[in-house]
Amino acid sequence: MLISAILFGLLGSFHCVGMCGPIAFLLPLDRKNKTKSILQLLSYHFGRILTYSALGLIFGIVGKSLNLFGLQQQLSIAIGLLMIIVIIIPTKIFNRYNFSKPIYKLVSKVKNKMGANLKKKNPSTFFTIGYLNGLLPCGLVYMAIFGALATGNALQGSLYMALFGLGTIPLMTTAIYLGNFLTATVKQRVLKLIPVFVIIIGLFFILRGLGLGIPYLSPSNMVTVEQVTAEYKCH
């Protein structure tokens, strides 16, 4: 599961360059001072990853509460199916019933605050832009959140989202320094691979929940971290 988080980040970063690229290009880095520029960039990435980790923590707690009712395997299957359904549903239909519409006003406020910070060069500017960037709606982030939810553990959910964020760093950093370096053809090819990858991960979640007795992939008895700890204390 943790490997899937990193892969989500690596592949999703091609999408991120298109969606969040303009924000990255506009970062007021001090390009005359290499050391300062790197520190500013690290602050931006840290802000993004902190936001992702907080989201993972929240949804990990939700997943844990469902596990307490013995729904861990069912949750894994449901999330796998949901990932596949989101990819299969035509975009027009999905947009018609877009559940993010009620939060458009909040997103608008986030964008306005981000725009104001892009004009500043305070020590906290880059961190602020980063954590605000992490709050912007993104389909790949939603998919990663599903993964965090399936972990059924607060810390694992947070780690899942942190690894997702780390996976986006290489390409996002390259885009910040080199601009829009990817050709349209390369972008199109990679973007076509992302839905396929999401479906494969969705199938893995379903297999994981079915408990077919396949080591690591589909264990017959999914044991949570809390259960292992409790058993250890008993002994």
Side-chain angles (χ1 to χ4, degrees):
M1 286 187 66
L2 296 180
I3 292 174
S4 73
I6 296 173
L7 292 175
F8 262 133
L10 288 171
L11 282 176
S13 57
F14 285 90
H15 174 76
C16 291
V17 169
M19 297 297 291
C20 303
I23 297 170
F25 303 152
L26 292 173
L27 283 177
L29 297 175
D30 187 348
R31 298 180 186 271
K32 294 181 180 179
N33 188 325
K34 189 175 182 180
T35 302
K36 190 175 181 180
S37 174
I38 291 173
L39 291 174
Q40 290 171 336
L41 186 58
L42 288 174
S43 180
Y44 165 73
H45 286 313
F46 179 67
R48 286 195 308 118
I49 293 173
L50 188 64
T51 299
Y52 294 150
S53 298
L55 291 172
L57 182 70
I58 293 169
F59 283 92
I61 291 172
V62 174
K64 180 180 178 180
S65 65
L66 293 173
N67 287 347
L68 293 176
F69 293 96
L71 299 174
Q72 187 180 16
Q73 289 182 271
Q74 292 90 332
L75 177 63
S76 186
I77 294 171
I79 287 174
L81 289 172
L82 190 58
M83 283 183 173
I84 295 171
I85 290 170
V86 169
I87 294 299
I88 293 175
I89 292 178
T91 305
K92 290 182 179 179
I93 295 177
F94 186 76
N95 288 339
R96 188 182 303 171
Y97 300 99
N98 192 340
F99 296 105
S100 65
K101 287 183 178 179
I103 62 171
Y104 275 172
K105 289 184 178 179
L106 178 61
V107 172
S108 180
K109 289 181 180 179
V110 170
K111 287 182 176 179
N112 290 336
K113 192 170 182 179
M114 189 181 296
N117 276 276
L118 284 170
K119 299 175 183 178
K120 302 176 182 178
K121 286 189 178 182
N122 297 331
S124 62
T125 294
F126 298 90
F127 174 79
T128 303
I129 294 172
Y131 85 73
L132 289 173
N133 195 164
L135 292 172
L136 293 177
C138 174
L140 266 298
V141 173
Y142 297 157
M143 294 296 106
I145 285 175
F146 287 156
L149 181 64
T151 63
N153 179 275
L155 293 178
Q156 285 189 23
S158 182
L159 176 60
Y160 191 96
M161 291 300 292
L163 290 174
F164 166 78
L166 286 172
T168 66
I169 288 179
L171 196 60
M172 286 290 287
T173 300
T174 305
I176 289 170
Y177 281 108
L178 300 182
N180 195 3
F181 65 99
L182 294 173
T183 64
T185 304
V186 172
K187 280 185 181 179
Q188 286 299 320
R189 288 178 180 175
V190 175
L191 290 176
K192 285 180 181 179
L193 287 175
I194 292 176
V196 176
F197 171 73
V198 173
I199 290 174
I200 291 173
I201 295 298
L203 291 173
F204 279 138
F205 276 117
I206 293 171
L207 283 173
R208 176 174 175 264
L210 289 174
L212 301 176
I214 305 172
Y216 302 106
L217 182 61
S218 184
S220 57
N221 183 25
M222 290 172 61
V223 182
T224 64
V225 173
E226 289 82 1
Q227 290 171 330
V228 172
T229 305
E231 186 177 347
Y232 176 78
K233 287 180 178 179
C234 289
H235 290 294

